[in-house]
Amino acid sequence: MASRTPLIEARKLTKKYGDLAAVNGINLSIAAGEVFGLLGPNGAGKTTTILMLLGLTEPTSGSARVGGLDPTREPLAVKRRVGYMPDAVGFYEDMTGRENLRYTARLNEVEDELVEDRIQTLLEEVGLADAADSPVGTYSRGMRQRLGVADALVKDPQVVILDEPTAAIDPQGVADMLELIRNLAHRDGRAVLLSSHLLHQVQEICDRIAIFVKGKVVAEGTPDELGAKLAKGQARFEVVADTTEEALRGALGDQVTVRGEGSRWQVTLPSAQTRSVLRKLVDADIPVRGLTDLNADLDEIYRRYFEREEVSA
Amino acid sequence: MTTTTFEPWVRKRPAWAVIASKEFSDHLLSVRFVALLAIMGMVALATVYTAAVELRDVAPQTVGEPGLFLRLFTVASDTLRLSFLQFIGLLAPILGIAYGFDAVNGERSQGTLPRLVSQPIHRDDVINGKFVAGLGVVGLTVVIVAFLVAGLGIFLLGVVPGPGEIIRLIAWTLAAIAYIGVWLAFATLCSVMTRRAATSAIVSIGVWLLLAIFGSMIFELLAGVISPVIAGDPFSEAANLRTQIALSRISPITLYQEASTVLLSPGVRTVGLVTLEQLDRAILSRLSFGQSVLLVWPQLVGMVAATVVIFAFAYIRFMRQEVRA
């Protein structure tokens, strides 16, 4: 697995508008079968990076390779195999969802005998089979976004790039959407790059994450790695239990710091002692109702990276 | 395992053709098409009907005159005061504007532009395909109107056009399409330059009305400045008129009026200034079709060139724009 050459590769990719660097020397490498998340606030340069990977904007310096090709030099070959869903995706309002997908299929010269079946399968997969033959003008924003994912997949791409795929989708729909995205990589073996500012979702489905702030990647790795990097040898848990500070100290040892009151407690202890935290608590007869590993929570990571950037900026 | 290098990819059918066919069918199904066809058709029928009624009164004296059928198009009746040709000259720009003003900014405001250009097409396919589709639907409208008018003419006058007249009608249709093409290109340019479709519509309609209503006034004023008329000097007057004519040829409306008048009236032998002396003892004769075309060749080329130049400008602007709004 590790020896596989990446489908998307960026080296020192930079885009400047005047003096302002929208994207500043980023390095990326994404392989088939992997979900990669670009995480960052709006205006961090995520969309600009994506446009450079598609050959829709020329990099100021650095290089991008998609499927081994330079997207600026060979845009057609790249765009034929990369499915892209833009942020705030739009469709022809008078045409039905199905007709919109058909148009994309024709632009991609998908073989005639495959088109209709593929469109039907995709519409079912994104849960739009019932609305497929109504004009897109009648769709809600969430439906448009789901149609956008189907639209990106019509060409059966090897690389899928989704810009804010869940931004407008209602909570029930999000889980389905995330499952769908995960399948694109893990089941179908495509390389998936998604951008989002919603870290919980990114954390849930991404194999690797790059945290993007002001055009730079400030951290990259698996969600666990990112957590560990920040923790600096400290493990943090949230314990939900009706207990006291003394009882927690007694159960977990001297090196623990405990904060909180009532039934919610935050405990911090050296990483070396994190094993069997639950057992220690149970053995001490603490009525544990919940235990959460805060290190694996990107919320925390995200906030800390931003704090650091704010300070250094 | 998945291949990690993409093979080169070659299109079988040019992308502009795919875009053009989608746009063309969109246009045909749109309210725009029906409404414009109805307006143009009604205006055309009204002008030709009134012209036919008046021509019928004089028809007995002109039996056998070969140009009779074409006069349906060129004669301004007393009731409407404008001939079919002139009406088309004034109204047809709306056709070009209607199919061009939201070509690019419409895609932008719908949010379909980023999706469209991320398909395996070149960016110019978008603007080329849209222009071809616009020209196609404009051509279709003009042809339908011409057929309507010719049909009504045959019915009202009882005169069947001869081959020469049919050829002249076809030539006129092409000239009219070239004329509307100028406006289509201009509206497309507006759609590239402005963010909102409404702005682009106002700009292009404004220019059209300015040229159609105040055009001759403006050219007269300008000519007065460039070569003023000196009282009692007939040469200065002639020079002034010549300047006026030359200036007015900047406007596609003039080019179209001259081209279509000559193409549809074999008797017209010049589009420039003619003095009475020159007309004295001139033998009234008709020009052959070839000679008529030759006479207005500069006008025809001028309209096509204007279309090409304006479209090229729109093309360059569009190619340089960022995909993101």
Side-chain angles (χ1 to χ4, degrees), chain B residues 103-127:
Chain B
V104 172
N105 53 19
E107 296 271 347
R108 257 184 213 289
S109 57
Q110 268 190 317
T112 43
L113 193 61
R115 209 166 51 81
L116 189 56
V117 294
S118 69
Q119 304 309 326
I121 61 171
H122 292 294
R123 199 195 283 205
D124 51 344
D125 287 325
V126 175
I127 192 165

Side-chain angles (χ1 to χ4, degrees), chain B residues 267-322:
Chain B
V268 174
R269 293 191 293 176
T270 174
V271 288
L273 188 60
V274 185
T275 61
L276 272 177
E277 287 129 52
Q278 284 169 314
L279 276 181
D280 187 33
R281 283 173 222 164
I283 302 161
L284 284 176
S285 61
R286 345 183 123 267
L287 291 183
S288 69
F289 172 66
Q291 291 297 314
S292 289
V293 172
L294 211 58
L295 186 58
V296 289
W297 191 247
Q299 276 81 353
L300 297 174
V301 171
M303 288 192 287
V304 174
T307 308
V308 170
V309 169
I310 298 171
F311 181 72
F313 200 61
Y315 181 98
I316 293 165
R317 284 300 297 249
F318 179 62
M319 294 301 278
R320 288 189 181 165
Q321 268 172 353
E322 283 286 328

Side-chain angles (χ1 to χ4, degrees), chain A residues 34 36 203 206-211 219-233 293 295-298 301 305:
Chain A
E34 182 178 40
F36 190 94
Q203 179 180 15
C206 290
D207 300 310
R208 280 192 304 136
I209 297 167
I211 297 183
E220 199 204 308
T222 65
D224 289 345
E225 281 168 11
L226 288 180
K229 246 186 230 173
L230 262 172
K232 294 180 194 114
D293 181 355
N295 271 5
D297 186 17
L298 268 181
I301 302 170
Y305 273 114

